[in-house]
Amino acid sequence: TPTATGACGYQVIGNFIGGADSTGSGVWTLAGAVATNFWGMDINHTGNIPTSVQGNTITNISLTSTTTTANDLFRGISTGSTGHVYIGNLTGNTIGSSTTNGVINLVTSGTGSTSYGIKCASTSASTDTVRIQNNFVGGIQVSSSTATNGTNIHGIGVTTASYVYIENNLVGSLNNPNGIIASNNATSVQSVHGISVASGTYSTVINNTIANLTNNYTGASTGYTRGIYLTVSTTSVVTGNVVKNIASK
């Protein structure tokens, strides 16, 4: 994945990450008593020419790790540093599957780990434009090997950026229950978010579908299941989205 100070304008197109062989079939299994963090594409760049991320697939992955809250357990596509990034505006990317459950299976022995299908964590507060459009994020299961420990999952999450456009994505599954699931019967913090935006000068979240998300949290007060979750205090437009079949125990 690209990492270069002062560089921009990358074309990241048509890659397949996952599977057990060169055809992408089978399951890529990563296991062991180590704090493994899997970031399929980690795009860090600066500059005014947009980096374009189109038509990539990340699927057929089984990850077991000891990661806790210190680092994100999984990011399918991740952006950082400064600059403009367009993810799927021409051809959508697939993280997991929109039709088959559990093709990305994430297990940690720790508590409080967080995973993202797509994460935007740009560092500029004034200039970045991020477009996340036409992508499929689903078929993801997160859990802890300790039954009551919580895990967290965001289909699409923006933690820092300036101008954010999240449009026409499918998060979860149209027809399959548990398209994205935090499967532990947890009593510590456990959350499932379809789309979350925690930063942005101008945020647009339009015409997305978030469906069939499940959180098996069984505690008293710290389980959250949200289709769309915005915590920004600046200008936001949220319209035309469909949120359905999201469930907590």
Side-chain angles (χ1 to χ4, degrees):
T1 53
T3 300
T5 301
C8 58
Y10 295 107
Q11 303 287 310
V12 185
I13 299 172
N15 300 283
F16 188 102
I17 298 175
D21 57 32
S22 60
T23 69
S25 62
V27 177
W28 184 5
T29 300
L30 300 97
V34 292
T36 301
N37 306 302
F38 186 100
W39 299 358
M41 295 183 174
D42 185 26
I43 298 165
N44 291 277
H45 69 136
T46 61
N48 294 321
I49 302 173
T51 284
S52 183
V53 184
Q54 314 291 335
N56 301 286
T57 299
I58 300 172
T59 191
N60 297 345
I61 295 166
S62 177
L63 170 64
T64 302
S65 174
T66 62
T67 288
T68 58
T69 57
N71 293 291
D72 295 337
L73 173 62
F74 176 89
R75 302 179 188 176
I77 297 173
S78 174
T79 74
S81 195
T82 62
H84 309 304
V85 183
Y86 296 170
I87 301 172
N89 63 306
L90 301 177
T91 305
N93 303 279
T94 299
I95 313 300
S97 172
S98 62
T99 58
T100 304
N101 289 354
V103 294
I104 296 178
N105 185 41
L106 309 171
V107 182
T108 178
S109 61
T111 184
S113 68
T114 301
S115 295
Y116 294 84
I118 298 173
K119 181 176 183 178
C120 173
S122 299
T123 57
S124 172
S126 61
T127 60
D128 294 339
T129 297
V130 177
R131 296 184 179 274
I132 302 172
Q133 300 167 292
N134 308 313
N135 301 288
F136 299 94
V137 180
I140 302 174
Q141 176 171 309
V142 296
S143 64
S144 172
S145 57
T146 301
T148 57
N149 283 352
T151 53
N152 307 288
I153 175 75
H154 300 251
I156 297 171
V158 177
T159 57
T160 52
S162 297
Y163 298 92
V164 181
Y165 302 87
I166 302 174
E167 305 175 32
N168 197 38
N169 301 282
L170 172 59
V171 178
S173 174
L174 285 177
N175 300 309
N176 291 352
N178 307 323
I180 292 177
I181 181 172
S183 60
N184 275 39
N185 295 327
T187 55
S188 59
V189 176
Q190 183 161 281
S191 63
V192 177
H193 295 95
I195 295 173
S196 63
V197 181
S199 175
T201 302
Y202 189 96
S203 301
T204 300
V205 182
I206 61 174
N207 299 331
N208 301 281
T209 298
I210 299 97
N212 290 300
L213 312 183
T214 303
N215 184 354
N216 282 348
Y217 173 80
T218 58
S221 63
T222 53
Y224 307 99
T225 308
R226 297 166 169 139
I228 299 173
Y229 181 52
L230 275 71
T231 57
V232 293
S233 58
T234 52
T235 303
S236 298
V237 176
V238 181
T239 187
N241 301 284
V242 175
V243 178
K244 63 180 183 178
N245 300 338
I246 64 174
S248 292
K249 282 191 172 181

